[in-house]
Amino acid sequence: MNNKDFRSDNVSPPAPEILDAALRDSRAWMDAYSDDQITGRVEERLAAIFECDVAAFPILTGTAANALALATISGRFGQILCHRSSHINMDECGAVEFYTQGNRLKPLEGEGAKLDVATCVRGFGTSDDIHQLRTTAVSISQATEFGTYYAVEQVAQLGSWTKSRGVGLHMDGTRFANVVAASGSDPAELTWRSGVDVLCLGATKGGAIGAEVVVFFDREKARDFKRLMKRSGHLASRLWFLASQLDAYFRDDLWTTAAHHANAMAKRLDEALRQNSSLTPHFPVQTNMVFLKLAGSAYEKLQASGVKFYVIDDEKEGPLARFVTSYATEPDDVDRLAETITGIARGSA
Amino acid sequence: MNNKDFRSDNVSPPAPEILDAALRDSRAWMDAYSDDQITGRVEERLAAIFECDVAAFPILTGTAANALALATISGRFGQILCHRSSHINMDECGAVEFYTQGNRLKPLEGEGAKLDVATCVRGFGTSDDIHQLRTTAVSISQATEFGTYYAVEQVAQLGSWTKSRGVGLHMDGTRFANVVAASGSDPAELTWRSGVDVLCLGATKGGAIGAEVVVFFDREKARDFKRLMKRSGHLASRLWFLASQLDAYFRDDLWTTAAHHANAMAKRLDEALRQNSSLTPHFPVQTNMVFLKLAGSAYEKLQASGVKFYVIDDEKEGPLARFVTSYATEPDDVDRLAETITGIARGSA
Amino acid sequence: MNNKDFRSDNVSPPAPEILDAALRDSRAWMDAYSDDQITGRVEERLAAIFECDVAAFPILTGTAANALALATISGRFGQILCHRSSHINMDECGAVEFYTQGNRLKPLEGEGAKLDVATCVRGFGTSDDIHQLRTTAVSISQATEFGTYYAVEQVAQLGSWTKSRGVGLHMDGTRFANVVAASGSDPAELTWRSGVDVLCLGATKGGAIGAEVVVFFDREKARDFKRLMKRSGHLASRLWFLASQLDAYFRDDLWTTAAHHANAMAKRLDEALRQNSSLTPHFPVQTNMVFLKLAGSAYEKLQASGVKFYVIDDEKEGPLARFVTSYATEPDDVDRLAETITGIARGSA
Amino acid sequence: MNNKDFRSDNVSPPAPEILDAALRDSRAWMDAYSDDQITGRVEERLAAIFECDVAAFPILTGTAANALALATISGRFGQILCHRSSHINMDECGAVEFYTQGNRLKPLEGEGAKLDVATCVRGFGTSDDIHQLRTTAVSISQATEFGTYYAVEQVAQLGSWTKSRGVGLHMDGTRFANVVAASGSDPAELTWRSGVDVLCLGATKGGAIGAEVVVFFDREKARDFKRLMKRSGHLASRLWFLASQLDAYFRDDLWTTAAHHANAMAKRLDEALRQNSSLTPHFPVQTNMVFLKLAGSAYEKLQASGVKFYVIDDEKEGPLARFVTSYATEPDDVDRLAETITGIARGSA
């Protein structure tokens, strides 16, 4: 089958390895509400990957992961610094405001959808003035919503600054696997060794049916997390089914293998476009997303051609076509997409 | 295998029919965030079952279903009448208070864990005094936490009263299938024809991996429900996987067949206990739960014997052993359980 | 003038001493938002009265005082034990639920509207079960809504228990002055020496225009209180005007003098009723309130006679006529009231 | 006395006319919780001023007024458009987020701290995407935080647009009197006739001790407002004391007379500065505030000289000295201030 769906990395079928594992685990009687053994196994796998003790909580969605994690590390009267284009700011319908019960997101600018210390310093404000909210956390996306990523050094600079201000550092890692695969960096270096307090690590976009895991690098901070999950209806009785997917995802390097493939497909698209038509992606293609600024009519023509993709209407960048590749994208799909885009781009030029 | 786990109807493996269906649906590329066709199919099945147009939303847990449903029908300054022993009051860690952003549950008494109009009238208070919260909803459990159920007539009396007071009627139907199976009553009669505004219909305890469905009988009331799901992290990208389970659950009467079996197993336990030891259940066994008041030391002895069950420590009734049967409970399991209990009860007497 | 208004101790004009002081302070230019000197002076007066360092915050209403105090000492997932008849449960429109962002009040029974340790132990539940809220605070009213009060020993028993459970102890002291006047007990003994963490001390019912003060006996706990006031719109720019009223209230024992008079007027009513008509108050008259259970028609007759009072419709006690005396009640008012009641009670008998 | 306090228009003593009136009203026995006659009289005065039926609620602070008003007109999932520099965004410690229980403020740019329709259109986003919050209200400040004001025509353009989008229009009128005085515009034209739904009209900065009034031009929208006041502890028992201040404020044109004077003093300062030192205010002086951009060291020198003023550190404009005049500012105070500034500015140049 010739697949043309590049809207996101959550429209493909789940990965067979993950489905198989979940099915196998579905034969046993099991303790409910995450007291099962599989959840314990996931925590062990993550401890090995991150080379430290962790508290890990399987959860259904990235929005829940982010919002519950931030509700845990950011306190009352809190202001959370994030990039203007971040998912928590743009695409989660105010979940952070809801779960923090009224914290404020302070949207900041930054190239490639990334924050740096200077920007955070300006956004920080003062913590002494009782007429103002106080900055309690910084949230960064790894990879970012524009497909770029922070180098270890960049995370470490932010982490060092947040520590110095007594502020939490949250990482939205819905595509963390793509960063590990692309950068070759050590997961520990990318996170707690660089000052990250909590990582929301996604598996759904890497092929799980629906499973993310919230990873705390300080068990003490996670003390009330399960209660927060219960209170918000996220503590499923058969939560082991999510754990089972994660167990398979982190087994035998499936998570990075799948991400490598997705990244390679995006790179292939990038190169094919440059060769055929000298179309340059709007942002450097560092993970599994390609953004294109097209001529006005090209967006509709491309949609009419049957290709499925999203048009992101960014406040500053204007409309951009976004193409996302996944573990399930095949080289042929990419080549045909490149041809279609090239043809339309030429016609519209 | 000899299974001894009677703690709840969520410790068994998922039902094979449901697993198979979910697996089959997991091969296709699918629209994300509930825009898929399977979700639509579930809505159609429910419309057929309830003989009316419905808006239906698959959701991961009963706690989420209840809290989001109540947050939808109960407004600001709201007080929600419920039975003292109800799940929303006792076992959901304040989810209703959280999702309604500060509504109050008013716990009421009532035989067999059921409310009646007279009790609700007393609990209603006045809606005119701005120094007090105003009653905005009534929540009933069908079946109740004690395994009993409301007859159609009893629901209708409550529904008629709530309508007359302009108050919403919510039904926590985590074991709704067991009521339909036990009573033989028409699903429509048990709900909207009797004044129920929203039903949280459970499939998890009937064999789904983890899937409930919130059913609104007035589509207009559900207008913002998907946004509420998104905001709370319950709108999974592959939500079709939950829909798929529900699709199988409502196909070919699986839902009532499974419930019939679970109910029959509880009845079998009830009868065996009466015959062997003249032990009388603490509440009439109407669905799939058997409660026993045992002599003091019998609880520990029973636990020591390897039988898994919960001891419910009710404020008014004191400690009670609770045994829950499910679609996966086998007659042999029940017979062995009855023997074990009987032996211990005799020894402790 | 013959005054017949016994509805509450907030319908009289403010006390002249307080008005004069507030007026005098109103001539100067002053720092805004409680950074003025008068607020500091109030804190000093309270430190002297309570013989310890305190953090004190003038605030407009008792409802705000209670809710902000409880929001400060009770955390997330909190359950607050209180008497069923308490003001926070019955007359503050869910302010505690609002300010704590979803804590739950657990209404308990207790004679004379008072809690004891045994009742609290039963209401406490367990703090280990993540499916349930955890008890984080106990709230008691001093005087109670039925005009009774806790002896030092009774407060101390509760305080000792709350300390042992790591739970906060809040005192709603809207009529604290009446208790000090009636009991002759030491303010320190009645509060922090007996384990009270925060006292909401009322001046409004003692003759202030509108001023209460939240007194924390541990300055550290109050760290964020001013921010909470700001966030909720209670940090007035000319907050010194409230401080000024409190300054006068605590000067020269005005607070206890006024309370002594109010209490004496209630006692006078009690005695007159017993003499004239052998009418016995429904609760012991310990402070400035008299409750009477009248024959059915007597309530309306009394209202028709022009006497102003409230009929409290208590869930357990049924309808009760409540008469409240204040600093401004005159002996003649009381005598005439006693005559009127006696006449009607005889007629209705 | 030579007064040098130009920090804000809330550091002066209250106006004598207002103090006298409040004192006079403080002699009577009065119904509690705003059921008194004075509150009714205020509503009548406002109905006359605005030439329409209004629902009016006296309240202690501008922060409470704004947040409760916005919580009334903006619904769940709401996003509120406001200027970046607005008081609700910069100086109310997240009160709007708190009272709306998680709405989001969307800070926008605009010259002179004012919004226009084009900016609002860009900020509006889409209301159809459930992954995003939906814009439910626009909030404008009249006068703005930079002392400028919207002409009737500018309000009307915004009002016409908000009506067309089904969005509420809120006016933070803490210095509304200064606008009426400066513009000579009709209060009705400045508000409801131009599409304003709710006005928070300040009296505190015009000489009240502490009293603002929330004015709804559609009584139906205000249905639950008193309950919201109660729930947040703003419904004082002697709320008539606030009403009394408002009653005096709106009597005999005191409100506009006081504002005329304050505006004239700012104008006097503006002119003196231009004459003496060719210092040009950073924003046009339209009401009672003068902003100056000084040379680096001048801020400290000015503070050292004993003049009291605030340095506003605006994100875009940088540090600015702000001088606020009030009903109580005397010409001599202004002249001396101008001399001092001039001297220092010359020295620092």
Side-chain angles (χ1 to χ4, degrees):
Chain A
M1 193 195 68
N2 166 13
N3 196 288
K4 297 174 171 169
D5 199 333
F6 294 88
R7 285 178 296 176
S8 186
D9 29 11
N10 56 27
V11 292
S12 70
E17 298 90 334
I18 291 177
L19 277 171
D20 287 352
L23 200 70
R24 245 189 333 268
D25 286 334
S26 293
R27 293 191 201 124
W29 291 64
M30 206 90 76
D31 284 353
Y33 304 115
S34 86
D35 294 331
D36 59 280
Q37 293 150 324
I38 309 176
T39 298
R41 213 152 67 209
V42 169
E43 211 164 71
E44 281 163 32
R45 287 195 195 280
L46 288 164
I49 288 170
F50 288 98
E51 302 164 41
C52 73
D53 183 44
V54 301
F57 303 90
I59 198 163
L60 184 64
T61 68
T63 294
N66 286 332
L68 273 80
L70 282 165
T72 301
I73 66 166
S74 172
R76 196 138 59 162
F77 314 112
Q79 172 173 273
I80 298 165
L81 308 184
C82 63
H83 193 273
R84 170 180 58 75
S85 71
S86 62
H87 205 260
I88 57 170
N89 190 44
M90 293 303 291
D91 290 296
E92 303 190 350
C93 197
V96 173
E97 286 91 338
F98 178 64
Y99 276 102
T100 60
Q101 304 191 297
N103 273 204
R104 182 187 290 179
L105 296 180
K106 171 117 184 167
L108 302 172
E109 298 296 325
E111 212 173 332
K114 292 192 281 183
L115 299 181
D116 60 21
V117 172
T119 313
C120 288
V121 167
R122 277 195 301 277
F124 183 79
T126 169
S127 55
D128 300 329
D129 184 348
I130 59 161
H131 296 256
Q132 300 184 1
L133 294 167
R134 63 182 160 221
T135 298
T136 47
V138 172
S139 172
I140 58 177
S141 303
Q142 183 78 315
T144 72
E145 284 66 30
F146 292 161
T148 57
Y149 65 82
Y150 292 82
V152 165
E153 184 53 28
Q154 293 173 314
V155 179
Q157 281 165 5
L158 287 165
S160 161
W161 179 75
T162 53
K163 289 284 162 293
S164 77
R165 304 307 306 247
V167 156
L169 183 54
H170 162 258
M171 184 176 276
D172 175 352
T174 193
R175 293 188 183 94
F176 186 72
N178 299 282
V179 174
V180 171
S183 67
S185 298
D186 184 62
E189 294 292 329
L190 279 167
T191 55
W192 66 274
R193 286 209 183 103
S194 296
V196 171
D197 293 296
V198 60
L199 166 70
C200 298
L201 202 173
T204 308
K205 291 180 167 109
I209 307 166
E212 317 277 308
V213 59
V214 181
V215 185
F216 286 91
F217 299 105
D218 174 355
R219 197 172 273 283
E220 182 55 24
K221 287 214 176 93
R223 218 173 357 142
D224 276 339
F225 199 79
K226 222 188 253 191
R227 222 167 196 140
L228 199 47
M229 288 183 66
K230 175 66 206 176
R231 187 169 169 81
S232 57
H234 281 288
L235 194 72
S237 52
R238 292 197 181 91
L239 198 64
W240 54 259
F241 190 80
L242 272 66
S244 178
Q245 300 169 51
L246 293 162
D247 188 38
Y249 183 62
F250 292 116
R251 191 160 43 203
D252 303 332
D253 289 328
L254 174 61
W255 69 303
T256 47
T257 312
H260 262 299
H261 177 80
N263 292 353
M265 291 301 99
K267 187 62 75 187
R268 185 182 186 101
L269 176 58
D270 180 12
E271 281 162 9
L273 289 171
R274 285 173 195 268
Q275 277 190 347
N276 302 357
S277 60
S278 63
L279 265 173
T280 317
H282 197 73
F283 303 108
V285 176
Q286 299 183 345
T287 55
N288 66 325
M289 291 194 270
V290 178
F291 290 82
L292 294 178
K293 187 159 216 82
L294 299 175
S297 64
Y299 296 104
E300 286 98 67
K301 283 184 194 156
L302 198 52
Q303 276 160 336
S305 79
V307 172
K308 290 181 171 176
F309 66 102
Y310 280 131
V311 179
I312 307 297
D313 194 0
D314 184 80
E315 222 175 295
K316 295 280 160 68
E317 313 287 348
L320 295 168
R322 188 188 81 164
F323 304 92
V324 188
T325 55
S326 79
Y327 90 92
T329 307
E330 294 182 24
D332 278 6
D333 300 335
V334 169
D335 297 346
R336 256 185 300 266
L337 173 63
E339 276 170 43
T340 311
I341 297 174
T342 303
I344 286 170
R346 277 195 191 121
S348 300
Chain B
M1 193 195 69
N2 166 14
N3 197 288
K4 298 175 172 168
D5 200 334
F6 293 88
R7 285 178 296 176
S8 186
D9 28 11
N10 56 28
V11 291
S12 70
E17 298 90 334
I18 291 177
L19 276 172
D20 287 352
L23 200 71
R24 244 190 333 269
D25 286 334
S26 292
R27 292 190 201 125
W29 292 63
M30 207 91 75
D31 285 353
Y33 304 115
S34 87
D35 293 332
D36 60 278
Q37 293 151 324
I38 308 176
T39 299
R41 214 152 66 209
V42 170
E43 211 164 73
E44 280 164 33
R45 287 196 195 279
L46 288 164
I49 288 169
F50 288 98
E51 302 164 42
C52 72
D53 183 42
V54 301
F57 303 90
I59 197 162
L60 184 63
T61 68
T63 294
N66 286 332
L68 274 80
L70 282 165
T72 301
I73 65 166
S74 171
R76 195 137 61 161
F77 314 111
Q79 172 172 273
I80 298 165
L81 308 184
C82 63
H83 193 273
R84 172 180 58 74
S85 71
S86 62
H87 205 260
I88 57 170
N89 191 44
M90 293 303 291
D91 291 295
E92 303 190 350
C93 197
V96 172
E97 286 91 338
F98 178 64
Y99 276 102
T100 59
Q101 305 191 298
N103 273 204
R104 182 187 291 178
L105 296 181
K106 170 118 185 166
L108 302 172
E109 298 296 325
E111 212 173 333
K114 291 191 280 182
L115 299 180
D116 60 22
V117 171
T119 312
C120 289
V121 166
R122 278 195 301 276
F124 183 80
T126 168
S127 55
D128 299 329
D129 184 349
I130 59 161
H131 296 255
Q132 301 184 359
L133 294 167
R134 63 182 161 221
T135 298
T136 48
V138 172
S139 172
I140 57 177
S141 302
Q142 183 77 315
T144 71
E145 284 67 28
F146 292 160
T148 57
Y149 65 82
Y150 292 82
V152 165
E153 183 53 27
Q154 293 174 314
V155 179
Q157 281 164 5
L158 286 166
S160 162
W161 179 76
T162 53
K163 289 282 161 294
S164 77
R165 304 306 307 245
V167 156
L169 183 54
H170 163 258
M171 184 176 276
D172 175 351
T174 192
R175 294 189 181 93
F176 186 72
N178 299 283
V179 174
V180 171
S183 67
S185 298
D186 184 61
E189 294 291 329
L190 279 166
T191 55
W192 67 274
R193 285 207 182 106
S194 295
V196 171
D197 293 296
V198 60
L199 167 69
C200 298
L201 202 172
T204 308
K205 290 180 168 110
I209 307 167
E212 316 277 308
V213 59
V214 181
V215 185
F216 286 91
F217 300 105
D218 174 355
R219 197 172 275 282
E220 181 56 24
K221 287 213 175 93
R223 219 174 357 145
D224 276 338
F225 198 80
K226 223 188 252 191
R227 223 166 195 141
L228 199 49
M229 288 182 67
K230 175 67 206 174
R231 187 169 171 82
S232 57
H234 281 288
L235 194 72
S237 52
R238 291 198 181 90
L239 198 64
W240 54 259
F241 190 81
L242 272 66
S244 179
Q245 299 169 52
L246 293 163
D247 189 37
Y249 182 62
F250 293 116
R251 191 160 42 204
D252 303 332
D253 290 327
L254 175 61
W255 69 303
T256 46
T257 312
H260 262 299
H261 177 80
N263 292 353
M265 290 301 99
K267 186 64 75 189
R268 185 182 185 101
L269 177 59
D270 180 11
E271 282 163 8
L273 289 171
R274 286 174 194 267
Q275 278 190 347
N276 303 354
S277 60
S278 63
L279 265 173
T280 317
H282 197 73
F283 303 108
V285 176
Q286 298 183 346
T287 55
N288 66 326
M289 290 195 272
V290 177
F291 289 82
L292 293 178
K293 188 160 216 82
L294 299 175
S297 63
Y299 297 104
E300 287 98 65
K301 283 183 194 156
L302 198 52
Q303 276 160 337
S305 79
V307 172
K308 291 182 171 176
F309 66 101
Y310 280 131
V311 179
I312 307 296
D313 194 1
D314 184 79
E315 222 175 295
K316 294 281 159 67
E317 312 287 349
L320 295 169
R322 187 189 81 164
F323 306 91
V324 187
T325 55
S326 79
Y327 90 91
T329 306
E330 293 182 25
D332 278 4
D333 300 334
V334 169
D335 298 345
R336 257 184 301 266
L337 173 63
E339 276 169 43
T340 311
I341 297 174
T342 303
I344 286 169
R346 276 193 192 124
S348 300
Chain C
M1 193 194 70
N2 166 15
N3 196 288
K4 298 175 172 170
D5 199 334
F6 293 88
R7 285 178 297 175
S8 185
D9 29 9
N10 56 28
V11 292
S12 71
E17 297 90 334
I18 292 178
L19 277 171
D20 287 353
L23 199 72
R24 244 190 332 267
D25 286 333
S26 293
R27 291 188 201 126
W29 291 63
M30 207 92 74
D31 284 352
Y33 304 114
S34 85
D35 294 331
D36 59 280
Q37 294 150 322
I38 308 175
T39 299
R41 214 153 65 209
V42 170
E43 212 164 71
E44 281 164 33
R45 288 195 194 279
L46 288 165
I49 288 170
F50 289 98
E51 301 164 44
C52 72
D53 183 42
V54 301
F57 303 91
I59 199 163
L60 185 64
T61 68
T63 294
N66 286 332
L68 274 80
L70 282 165
T72 300
I73 64 166
S74 172
R76 198 140 56 161
F77 314 112
Q79 172 172 272
I80 298 165
L81 308 184
C82 63
H83 193 274
R84 171 179 58 73
S85 71
S86 63
H87 205 259
I88 57 170
N89 190 44
M90 293 303 292
D91 290 296
E92 302 189 351
C93 198
V96 173
E97 287 90 338
F98 178 65
Y99 276 102
T100 60
Q101 303 190 298
N103 273 205
R104 182 188 288 179
L105 297 181
K106 170 116 183 166
L108 302 172
E109 298 296 325
E111 211 172 334
K114 291 192 281 182
L115 299 181
D116 59 22
V117 172
T119 312
C120 289
V121 167
R122 277 195 302 276
F124 184 79
T126 168
S127 55
D128 300 330
D129 183 349
I130 59 160
H131 296 255
Q132 301 185 0
L133 294 167
R134 64 180 160 223
T135 298
T136 47
V138 172
S139 172
I140 58 178
S141 302
Q142 184 77 316
T144 72
E145 283 68 28
F146 293 161
T148 58
Y149 65 83
Y150 292 82
V152 165
E153 183 53 28
Q154 293 174 314
V155 178
Q157 281 165 4
L158 286 166
S160 162
W161 179 77
T162 53
K163 287 285 161 293
S164 77
R165 305 306 307 246
V167 155
L169 184 54
H170 162 257
M171 184 176 275
D172 175 353
T174 191
R175 292 188 183 95
F176 185 73
N178 299 282
V179 174
V180 171
S183 67
S185 298
D186 184 61
E189 294 291 329
L190 280 167
T191 55
W192 67 274
R193 287 209 181 104
S194 296
V196 171
D197 294 296
V198 59
L199 166 70
C200 298
L201 203 173
T204 308
K205 290 180 168 109
I209 306 166
E212 316 277 308
V213 59
V214 181
V215 185
F216 286 91
F217 300 105
D218 174 355
R219 197 171 274 283
E220 182 56 24
K221 287 213 176 94
R223 219 173 358 143
D224 276 339
F225 199 80
K226 225 188 249 190
R227 224 168 194 138
L228 199 49
M229 288 183 67
K230 176 65 206 177
R231 187 168 169 82
S232 56
H234 280 288
L235 194 71
S237 52
R238 290 197 183 92
L239 198 64
W240 54 259
F241 191 80
L242 271 66
S244 178
Q245 298 169 52
L246 293 163
D247 188 37
Y249 182 62
F250 293 117
R251 190 160 43 204
D252 303 332
D253 290 327
L254 174 60
W255 69 304
T256 46
T257 312
H260 262 299
H261 177 81
N263 292 352
M265 291 301 99
K267 186 63 75 188
R268 185 182 186 101
L269 176 58
D270 181 12
E271 282 161 8
L273 289 171
R274 286 175 195 266
Q275 278 191 345
N276 303 354
S277 60
S278 63
L279 265 173
T280 317
H282 197 73
F283 303 107
V285 176
Q286 299 183 346
T287 55
N288 66 324
M289 291 194 271
V290 178
F291 289 82
L292 294 178
K293 189 160 215 81
L294 299 175
S297 63
Y299 297 104
E300 287 98 66
K301 283 183 194 157
L302 198 51
Q303 276 161 337
S305 80
V307 172
K308 290 181 173 177
F309 66 101
Y310 280 131
V311 179
I312 308 297
D313 193 0
D314 184 79
E315 223 175 293
K316 295 280 159 69
E317 313 288 349
L320 295 169
R322 187 188 82 164
F323 305 91
V324 188
T325 55
S326 79
Y327 90 92
T329 307
E330 294 183 23
D332 279 6
D333 300 333
V334 170
D335 298 345
R336 256 184 301 265
L337 173 62
E339 275 170 44
T340 310
I341 296 174
T342 303
I344 285 170
R346 277 196 189 120
S348 300
Chain D
M1 194 193 69
N2 166 12
N3 197 288
K4 298 174 172 170
D5 200 334
F6 293 89
R7 286 178 296 175
S8 186
D9 29 9
N10 55 28
V11 291
S12 70
E17 298 89 336
I18 291 177
L19 277 172
D20 288 352
L23 200 71
R24 246 192 328 270
D25 286 333
S26 294
R27 293 191 200 124
W29 292 63
M30 207 93 73
D31 284 352
Y33 304 115
S34 87
D35 293 333
D36 60 279
Q37 293 150 324
I38 308 175
T39 298
R41 213 153 66 211
V42 170
E43 211 164 70
E44 280 164 33
R45 287 195 195 279
L46 288 164
I49 288 170
F50 289 99
E51 300 164 43
C52 72
D53 183 42
V54 301
F57 304 90
I59 198 162
L60 184 64
T61 68
T63 294
N66 286 332
L68 274 80
L70 282 165
T72 300
I73 65 165
S74 172
R76 197 139 58 162
F77 314 111
Q79 172 172 272
I80 298 165
L81 308 184
C82 63
H83 193 273
R84 171 179 57 75
S85 71
S86 62
H87 205 260
I88 57 170
N89 190 44
M90 293 302 291
D91 291 296
E92 303 189 350
C93 197
V96 172
E97 287 91 338
F98 177 66
Y99 276 102
T100 59
Q101 304 191 297
N103 273 204
R104 182 187 289 179
L105 296 181
K106 170 117 184 166
L108 302 172
E109 299 295 327
E111 211 172 334
K114 291 192 281 182
L115 299 180
D116 60 21
V117 171
T119 312
C120 289
V121 166
R122 278 195 300 277
F124 183 79
T126 167
S127 54
D128 298 330
D129 184 349
I130 59 160
H131 296 255
Q132 301 184 0
L133 294 168
R134 64 181 159 222
T135 299
T136 47
V138 172
S139 171
I140 58 177
S141 302
Q142 184 77 317
T144 73
E145 283 68 27
F146 292 161
T148 57
Y149 65 82
Y150 292 82
V152 165
E153 182 53 27
Q154 293 174 313
V155 178
Q157 280 164 6
L158 286 165
S160 161
W161 179 76
T162 53
K163 287 284 160 297
S164 77
R165 304 306 307 246
V167 155
L169 184 54
H170 162 257
M171 183 176 276
D172 175 352
T174 192
R175 293 189 182 92
F176 185 73
N178 299 282
V179 174
V180 171
S183 67
S185 297
D186 184 61
E189 293 292 328
L190 279 166
T191 55
W192 67 275
R193 286 210 181 103
S194 296
V196 171
D197 293 296
V198 59
L199 166 70
C200 297
L201 202 173
T204 308
K205 291 180 168 109
I209 307 166
E212 316 278 308
V213 59
V214 181
V215 185
F216 286 91
F217 300 106
D218 174 355
R219 197 171 275 282
E220 181 56 23
K221 287 212 176 92
R223 218 172 358 142
D224 276 338
F225 198 79
K226 223 187 252 192
R227 223 167 194 140
L228 199 48
M229 288 183 67
K230 175 66 206 176
R231 186 168 169 82
S232 57
H234 281 288
L235 194 71
S237 52
R238 290 197 183 90
L239 198 64
W240 55 258
F241 190 80
L242 272 66
S244 178
Q245 298 168 52
L246 293 162
D247 187 38
Y249 182 62
F250 293 117
R251 190 162 42 205
D252 303 333
D253 291 325
L254 174 60
W255 69 303
T256 46
T257 311
H260 262 299
H261 177 81
N263 292 353
M265 291 302 99
K267 186 63 76 189
R268 186 182 185 102
L269 176 59
D270 181 12
E271 281 162 9
L273 289 171
R274 287 174 194 265
Q275 278 191 347
N276 303 355
S277 60
S278 62
L279 265 172
T280 318
H282 197 74
F283 302 108
V285 176
Q286 298 183 345
T287 55
N288 66 324
M289 290 194 273
V290 177
F291 290 82
L292 293 178
K293 188 161 215 82
L294 299 175
S297 63
Y299 297 104
E300 286 97 67
K301 283 183 195 157
L302 199 51
Q303 276 160 337
S305 79
V307 171
K308 291 181 172 177
F309 66 101
Y310 280 132
V311 179
I312 307 297
D313 194 359
D314 184 79
E315 223 175 293
K316 295 281 159 69
E317 312 287 348
L320 295 169
R322 187 188 82 164
F323 305 91
V324 187
T325 55
S326 79
Y327 90 91
T329 307
E330 293 183 25
D332 279 4
D333 300 334
V334 170
D335 297 345
R336 257 184 300 266
L337 173 64
E339 275 169 44
T340 310
I341 297 174
T342 303
I344 286 170
R346 277 196 189 119
S348 301

